[in-house]
Each structure stands twice: as C-alpha cells, then as structure tokens.
Amino acid sequence: MPKQTHVPGEAFRYMENAKELLKAASIEGNAYIDKKPVREAFGTAYLAVLEAINEALIKKGLTVKQLPKSVDAYRAALQKHLAVNNGKLLRSFEILYDSLHIAGYYRGLLRNVSTVKDEIKAADDFIKKLLN
C-alpha cells in the first residue's frame, strides 16, 4: 500500500478546479442548464473544504494517519482541535456540508447561478479563513 501523504495547498487547487468546472457550464437565464458540471463543482468544492481542514489539522500536529475519515470525525476534529473557542467554524462547516455536499452534489438541487456562486464563495472564504 502506498504511503499516504498530504500536499499543502491542495485545498486551493481543488477550489480552482471547482471554479473552472462552473466556468465551462452553460447558463440560460439565471440557471445552469446542465446540472452535471454544477454537481461536479460542488463535489470538488466540498473536497477542497475537507483538504483545508486536513491541512489545518496537520499544522496542529496531527499525522496523516490521524486525519478524519468520516463527516462525523471531521466534526469531532473541528471541535477538538480547531473550533475550541470558535463555534462559528463548526457552524460554517455544517452549512457547507449541507449546501455543497448534500444539496449541491448529492441531490443536485442547486442550479440558480447566484446561489451556486454564493455557495462556492462561502467555501472559498472558509478555506482562506482556516489556512491564512
């Protein structure tokens, strides 16, 4: 089994990929016509959020093997290591989980252009706040 590593800056790379997916998606009126690239963008943005949390946890001293492997483990890790005095961080993660992963990617419910862009921006802001 190959050694698992973490690449710093992956979160930003994933976010750029998500934005590129949206740029290529066709818009008619105020909605994306094809939901496949939008769902892919949401899935990629959610992965960017997870990568940012991983990077922040590694900066706190966790090893790659200790990184969370489920959404519940991410919640616990955020609470224990990153959001000790900042409940807003955990709330932000919960909102991003619901919007990016569940509504945007899993169910494909979000297609309004301004809503999609707002959610991608929220993910971008979360990542920047966590890593800068």
Side-chain angles (χ1 to χ4, degrees):
M1 180 184 229
K3 183 180 176 188
Q4 200 176 10
T5 59
H6 177 76
V7 180
E10 278 294 277
F12 295 110
R13 188 171 142 222
Y14 277 56
M15 274 310 300
E16 287 308 310
N17 290 150
K19 292 172 188 176
E20 290 301 317
L21 286 164
L22 283 179
K23 283 181 188 172
S26 301
I27 297 171
E28 191 173 286
N30 194 30
Y32 287 97
I33 299 167
D34 184 4
K35 63 174 151 173
K36 182 181 180 282
V38 176
R39 288 177 84 172
E40 288 174 348
F42 275 122
T44 304
Y46 178 65
L47 290 174
V49 167
L50 298 182
E51 285 294 326
I53 295 169
N54 288 344
E55 189 167 332
L57 291 170
I58 286 171
K59 286 180 182 175
K60 288 283 185 178
L62 273 71
T63 66
V64 172
K65 279 187 166 188
Q66 293 172 312
L67 293 176
K69 291 171 182 54
S70 69
V71 71
D72 288 332
Y74 274 98
R75 287 180 182 118
L78 276 169
Q79 222 165 4
K80 182 177 180 181
H81 300 287
L82 301 172
V84 176
N85 298 313
N86 183 0
K88 290 180 185 178
L89 189 66
L90 188 56
R91 279 193 300 281
S92 294
F93 174 74
E94 290 295 343
I95 291 167
L96 289 170
Y97 173 76
D98 288 343
S99 61
L100 298 176
H101 185 63
I102 301 299
Y105 172 72
Y106 186 68
R107 294 194 179 136
L109 299 174
L110 305 179
R111 293 187 19 218
N112 177 283
V113 172
S114 58
T115 302
V116 170
K117 288 183 178 181
D118 286 348
E119 294 304 328
I120 295 296
K121 183 181 181 332
D124 205 27
D125 291 346
F126 178 88
I127 291 164
K128 288 175 182 168
K129 188 180 294 183
L130 198 58
L131 297 179
N132 290 334

